[in-house]
Protein backbone atom coordinates (compact mmCIF):
# COMPACT_ATOMS: atom_id res chain seq x y z
CA UNK A 1 0.00 0.00 0.00
CA UNK A 2 1.35 3.43 -0.88
CA UNK A 3 2.07 5.91 1.84
CA UNK A 4 -0.80 8.09 0.65
CA UNK A 5 -3.28 5.21 0.76
CA UNK A 6 -2.12 4.19 4.21
CA UNK A 7 -2.58 7.74 5.40
CA UNK A 8 -6.15 7.88 4.09
CA UNK A 9 -7.06 4.49 5.51
CA UNK A 10 -5.76 5.66 8.88
CA UNK A 11 -7.60 8.98 8.62
CA UNK A 12 -10.91 7.23 7.83
CA UNK A 13 -10.50 4.96 10.86
CA UNK A 14 -9.84 7.91 13.13
CA UNK A 15 -12.82 9.76 11.70
CA UNK A 16 -15.07 6.75 12.25
CA UNK A 17 -13.86 6.38 15.83
CA UNK A 18 -14.58 10.05 16.50
CA UNK A 19 -18.06 9.73 14.98
CA UNK A 20 -18.86 6.67 17.07
CA UNK A 21 -17.64 8.47 20.17
CA UNK A 22 -19.76 11.55 19.36
CA UNK A 23 -22.83 9.38 18.81
CA UNK A 24 -22.19 7.67 22.11
CA UNK A 25 -21.88 11.00 23.92
CA UNK A 26 -24.98 12.38 22.21
CA UNK A 27 -27.32 9.43 22.66
CA UNK A 28 -26.18 7.91 25.95
CA UNK A 29 -25.91 10.90 28.23
CA UNK A 30 -25.01 10.20 31.83
CA UNK A 31 -27.89 10.99 34.19
CA UNK A 32 -27.23 14.10 36.22
CA UNK A 33 -25.00 12.99 39.02
CA UNK A 34 -24.04 14.79 42.18
CA UNK A 35 -20.60 14.33 43.69
CA UNK A 36 -20.50 14.70 47.47
CA UNK A 37 -16.97 15.44 48.67
CA UNK A 38 -15.91 14.25 52.11
CA UNK A 39 -13.50 16.43 54.07
CA UNK A 40 -12.59 16.77 57.73
CA UNK A 41 -9.94 19.25 58.97
CA UNK A 42 -8.61 22.30 57.13
CA UNK A 43 -5.53 23.74 58.84
CA UNK A 44 -1.84 24.37 58.41
CA UNK A 45 -0.61 22.51 61.48
CA UNK A 46 -2.07 19.01 61.67
CA UNK A 47 -0.25 16.22 59.85
CA UNK A 48 -3.30 13.96 60.05
CA UNK A 49 -4.24 12.20 56.82
CA UNK A 50 -7.69 13.76 56.97
CA UNK A 51 -6.38 17.31 57.14
CA UNK A 52 -6.41 19.12 53.79
CA UNK A 53 -4.24 22.25 54.22
CA UNK A 54 -6.03 25.51 53.28
CA UNK A 55 -3.82 26.16 50.26
CA UNK A 56 -4.62 22.74 48.79
CA UNK A 57 -8.32 23.17 49.54
CA UNK A 58 -8.30 26.51 47.73
CA UNK A 59 -6.70 24.89 44.69
CA UNK A 60 -9.46 22.28 44.70
CA UNK A 61 -12.25 24.84 45.07
CA UNK A 62 -10.74 27.01 42.33
CA UNK A 63 -10.64 23.92 40.11
CA UNK A 64 -14.31 23.13 40.81
CA UNK A 65 -15.23 26.74 40.03
CA UNK A 66 -13.24 26.68 36.82
CA UNK A 67 -14.90 23.41 35.79
CA UNK A 68 -18.31 25.03 36.20
CA UNK A 69 -19.41 23.33 39.40
CA UNK A 70 -21.89 25.04 41.74
CA UNK A 71 -22.06 24.03 45.40
CA UNK A 72 -25.47 23.03 46.75
CA UNK A 73 -26.66 21.98 50.20
CA UNK A 74 -28.02 18.57 51.14
CA UNK A 75 -31.44 20.21 51.41
CA UNK A 76 -31.14 21.59 47.85
CA UNK A 77 -30.45 18.04 46.67
CA UNK A 78 -33.41 16.64 48.61
CA UNK A 79 -35.77 19.32 47.34
CA UNK A 80 -34.62 18.78 43.75
CA UNK A 81 -35.15 15.05 44.22
CA UNK A 82 -38.82 15.78 44.94
CA UNK A 83 -39.06 18.13 41.96
CA UNK A 84 -39.39 21.20 44.19
CA UNK A 85 -36.19 22.86 43.02
CA UNK A 86 -33.93 22.97 39.97
CA UNK A 87 -30.31 22.00 40.37
CA UNK A 88 -27.51 23.87 38.61
CA UNK A 89 -25.84 22.15 35.63
CA UNK A 90 -22.95 20.76 37.61
CA UNK A 91 -23.89 20.52 41.28
CA UNK A 92 -21.45 19.46 43.98
CA UNK A 93 -21.91 19.06 47.75
CA UNK A 94 -18.98 19.83 50.06
CA UNK A 95 -19.19 18.02 53.41
CA UNK A 96 -16.95 18.32 56.47
CA UNK A 97 -17.19 15.66 59.19
CA UNK A 98 -16.59 15.87 62.97
CA UNK A 99 -16.96 19.66 63.53
CA UNK A 100 -13.38 20.84 63.94
CA UNK A 101 -12.79 24.44 65.01
CA UNK A 102 -10.79 25.13 61.84
CA UNK A 103 -14.03 24.72 59.90
CA UNK A 104 -14.91 28.11 61.42
CA UNK A 105 -11.54 29.84 61.59
CA UNK A 106 -10.01 28.64 58.30
CA UNK A 107 -12.61 26.96 56.09
CA UNK A 108 -15.46 29.46 56.40
CA UNK A 109 -13.46 32.49 55.10
CA UNK A 110 -12.25 30.39 52.14
CA UNK A 111 -15.80 29.30 51.30
CA UNK A 112 -16.98 32.91 51.53
CA UNK A 113 -14.17 34.01 49.21
CA UNK A 114 -15.43 31.57 46.57
CA UNK A 115 -19.13 32.13 47.34
CA UNK A 116 -19.56 28.44 48.10
CA UNK A 117 -21.74 26.52 50.56
CA UNK A 118 -20.95 23.43 52.59
CA UNK A 119 -22.48 21.00 55.05
CA UNK A 120 -20.79 20.34 58.40
CA UNK A 121 -21.58 17.14 60.32
CA UNK A 122 -21.28 17.58 64.07
CA UNK A 123 -20.45 15.17 66.91
CA UNK A 124 -22.68 16.83 69.47
CA UNK A 125 -20.84 15.66 72.59
CA UNK A 126 -17.64 17.27 71.27
CA UNK A 127 -19.18 20.73 70.79
CA UNK A 128 -17.13 23.28 72.74
CA UNK A 129 -14.26 20.88 73.51
CA UNK A 130 -10.73 21.94 72.62
CA UNK A 131 -10.24 21.78 68.86
CA UNK A 132 -13.98 21.57 68.15
CA UNK A 133 -16.59 24.15 67.18
CA UNK A 134 -18.52 25.99 69.88
CA UNK A 135 -22.26 26.65 69.87
CA UNK A 136 -21.70 30.33 69.00
CA UNK A 137 -19.49 29.38 66.09
CA UNK A 138 -22.03 26.85 64.85
CA UNK A 139 -24.85 29.37 64.98
CA UNK A 140 -22.72 31.97 63.23
CA UNK A 141 -21.74 29.49 60.51
CA UNK A 142 -25.40 28.71 59.98
CA UNK A 143 -26.27 32.36 59.40
CA UNK A 144 -23.38 32.51 56.92
CA UNK A 145 -24.78 29.75 54.70
CA UNK A 146 -23.38 26.59 56.25
CA UNK A 147 -25.77 23.67 56.67
CA UNK A 148 -25.46 21.71 59.90
CA UNK A 149 -26.02 17.96 60.08
CA UNK A 150 -25.57 15.28 62.74
CA UNK A 151 -22.61 12.93 63.05
CA UNK A 152 -24.11 11.30 66.19
CA UNK A 153 -23.51 12.26 69.82
CA UNK A 154 -20.44 10.12 70.48
CA UNK A 155 -18.94 9.14 67.10
CA UNK A 156 -19.20 5.39 67.66
CA UNK A 157 -19.69 2.96 64.74
CA UNK A 158 -23.45 2.32 64.47
CA UNK A 159 -23.15 -1.16 62.97
CA UNK A 160 -21.95 -2.65 66.27
CA UNK A 161 -24.63 -1.06 68.45
CA UNK A 162 -27.92 -2.47 69.60
CA UNK A 163 -30.94 -0.65 68.23
CA UNK A 164 -31.79 1.28 71.39
CA UNK A 165 -28.27 2.70 71.60
CA UNK A 166 -28.16 3.60 67.91
CA UNK A 167 -31.58 5.23 68.29
CA UNK A 168 -30.23 7.36 71.17
CA UNK A 169 -27.28 8.49 69.07
CA UNK A 170 -29.53 9.60 66.23
CA UNK A 171 -32.30 11.15 68.35
CA UNK A 172 -30.28 12.96 71.00
CA UNK A 173 -27.76 14.52 68.62
CA UNK A 174 -30.58 15.92 66.47
CA UNK A 175 -32.54 17.23 69.44
CA UNK A 176 -29.53 18.87 71.03
CA UNK A 177 -28.65 20.72 67.83
CA UNK A 178 -32.23 21.89 67.32
CA UNK A 179 -32.65 22.95 70.96
CA UNK A 180 -29.57 25.12 70.61
CA UNK A 181 -30.75 27.16 67.68
CA UNK A 182 -29.71 24.98 64.75
CA UNK A 183 -32.31 24.72 61.98
CA UNK A 184 -34.13 21.39 61.60
CA UNK A 185 -31.45 18.75 61.15
CA UNK A 186 -32.25 16.67 58.06
CA UNK A 187 -28.84 15.33 57.14
CA UNK A 188 -26.72 12.70 58.81
CA UNK A 189 -23.21 11.30 58.35
CA UNK A 190 -22.34 7.77 59.55
CA UNK A 191 -19.31 7.77 61.90
CA UNK A 192 -16.50 5.77 60.24
CA UNK A 193 -18.93 5.05 57.40
CA UNK A 194 -20.43 2.32 59.58
CA UNK A 195 -24.09 1.34 59.26
CA UNK A 196 -26.21 -1.80 59.39
CA UNK A 197 -29.17 -2.78 57.23
CA UNK A 198 -31.47 -1.38 59.95
CA UNK A 199 -29.84 2.03 60.26
CA UNK A 200 -31.67 3.73 57.34
CA UNK A 201 -35.03 2.78 58.90
CA UNK A 202 -33.90 4.17 62.24
CA UNK A 203 -32.88 7.43 60.56
CA UNK A 204 -36.27 7.69 58.90
CA UNK A 205 -38.00 7.10 62.24
CA UNK A 206 -35.97 9.96 63.73
CA UNK A 207 -37.04 12.30 60.90
CA UNK A 208 -33.77 12.49 59.08
CA UNK A 209 -34.22 12.76 55.32
CA UNK A 210 -30.78 11.75 54.10
CA UNK A 211 -27.47 10.26 55.15
CA UNK A 212 -23.99 10.18 53.65
CA UNK A 213 -21.76 7.11 53.81
CA UNK A 214 -18.07 6.64 53.17
CA UNK A 215 -18.90 4.50 50.14
CA UNK A 216 -17.32 5.77 46.95
CA UNK A 217 -19.32 7.04 43.99
CA UNK A 218 -21.64 9.73 42.68
CA UNK A 219 -25.35 10.17 43.37
CA UNK A 220 -28.42 10.54 41.25
CA UNK A 221 -32.04 11.04 42.28
CA UNK A 222 -32.33 7.24 42.23
CA UNK A 223 -29.65 6.74 44.85
CA UNK A 224 -31.09 5.70 48.24
CA UNK A 225 -31.19 9.00 50.17
CA UNK A 226 -29.96 7.20 53.31
CA UNK A 227 -27.01 5.63 51.50
CA UNK A 228 -25.57 8.57 49.60
CA UNK A 229 -22.05 7.99 48.35
CA UNK A 230 -19.10 10.28 48.81
CA UNK A 231 -15.69 10.97 47.38
CA UNK A 232 -13.21 10.97 50.22
CA UNK A 233 -10.63 13.78 49.98
CA UNK A 234 -7.71 13.15 52.35
CA UNK A 235 -4.52 15.22 52.43
CA UNK A 236 -3.23 14.99 48.86
CA UNK A 237 0.23 13.61 48.08
CA UNK A 238 0.14 14.64 44.43
CA UNK A 239 -1.59 18.04 44.56
CA UNK A 240 -4.48 18.82 42.26
CA UNK A 241 -3.84 15.78 40.05
CA UNK A 242 -4.82 13.51 42.87
CA UNK A 243 -8.04 15.48 43.40
CA UNK A 244 -8.91 15.28 39.70
CA UNK A 245 -8.17 11.57 39.72
CA UNK A 246 -10.47 11.02 42.70
CA UNK A 247 -13.33 12.79 40.89
CA UNK A 248 -12.64 10.76 37.76
CA UNK A 249 -12.53 7.49 39.66
CA UNK A 250 -15.95 8.20 41.21
CA UNK A 251 -17.38 8.95 37.75
CA UNK A 252 -15.92 5.73 36.42
CA UNK A 253 -17.24 3.65 39.34
CA UNK A 254 -20.71 5.13 38.84
CA UNK A 255 -20.65 4.56 35.09
CA UNK A 256 -19.57 0.94 35.55
CA UNK A 257 -22.00 0.40 38.42
CA UNK A 258 -19.23 -0.45 40.88
CA UNK A 259 -20.37 0.09 44.44
CA UNK A 260 -17.63 0.22 47.04
CA UNK A 261 -18.74 -0.16 50.62
CA UNK A 262 -16.04 1.22 52.85
CA UNK A 263 -16.35 0.78 56.59
CA UNK A 264 -13.28 1.74 58.56
ZN1 LIG B 1 -16.19 11.30 61.73
Amino acid sequence: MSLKKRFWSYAVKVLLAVMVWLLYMAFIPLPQSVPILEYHMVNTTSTEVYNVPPQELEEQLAYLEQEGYTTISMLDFLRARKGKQQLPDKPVILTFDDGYIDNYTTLLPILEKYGMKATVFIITNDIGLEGYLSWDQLRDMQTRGIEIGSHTANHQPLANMDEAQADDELRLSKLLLEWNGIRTVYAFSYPNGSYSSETPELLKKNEYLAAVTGDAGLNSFKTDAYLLQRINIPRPHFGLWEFRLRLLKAQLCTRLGIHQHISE
Side-chain angles (χ1 to χ4, degrees), residues 211-232:
V212 291
T213 64
D215 306 345
L218 304 178
N219 306 281
S220 72
F221 290 155
K222 288 182 182 154
T223 313
D224 186 331
Y226 294 100
L227 296 174
L228 295 173
Q229 303 180 59
R230 289 197 288 182
I231 305 171
N232 184 32

Side-chain angles (χ1 to χ4, degrees), residues 124-250:
T124 53
N125 278 356
D126 286 346
I127 296 170
L129 297 185
E130 197 187 344
Y132 291 89
L133 293 161
S134 69
W135 283 112
D136 282 341
Q137 288 166 338
L138 272 173
R139 284 184 288 257
D140 189 35
M141 285 174 94
Q142 175 172 257
T143 61
R144 289 158 73 179
I146 302 295
E147 181 180 47
I148 315 282
S150 164
H151 197 34
T152 71
N154 296 296
H155 204 266
Q156 297 300 312
L158 293 170
N160 313 330
M161 271 177 213
D162 61 51
E163 194 180 312
Q165 199 186 353
D167 189 63
D168 277 353
E169 289 286 341
L170 306 188
R171 193 182 67 256
L172 297 176
S173 57
K174 187 180 199 289
L175 282 179
L176 194 69
L177 288 167
E178 291 169 359
W179 282 341
N180 282 281
I182 302 303
R183 275 183 218 123
T184 313
V185 174
Y186 294 118
F188 182 84
S189 166
Y190 299 102
N192 303 324
S194 153
Y195 57 87
S196 73
S197 52
E198 286 91 47
T199 325
E201 205 47 52
L202 216 51
L203 282 162
K204 212 178 286 177
K205 187 190 132 201
N206 281 290
E207 297 180 346
Y208 288 96
L209 300 180
V212 291
T213 64
D215 306 345
L218 304 178
N219 306 281
S220 72
F221 290 155
K222 288 182 182 154
T223 313
D224 186 331
Y226 294 100
L227 296 174
L228 295 173
Q229 303 180 59
R230 289 197 288 182
I231 305 171
N232 184 32
I233 312 290
R235 167 196 288 273
H237 296 288
F238 305 103
L240 196 59
W241 279 104
E242 185 177 328
F243 180 71
R244 294 171 69 163
L245 215 64
R246 284 179 187 279
L247 292 183
L248 202 67
K249 189 183 149 204

Side-chain angles (χ1 to χ4, degrees), residues 38-40 50 96-100 121 123 151-152 155 189-193 230 264:
E38 175 186 355
Y39 293 95
H40 292 82
Y50 50 85
F96 294 80
D97 280 12
D98 299 350
Y100 296 107
F121 291 105
I123 308 161
H151 197 34
T152 71
H155 204 266
S189 166
Y190 299 102
N192 303 324
R230 289 197 288 182
E264 291 147 21

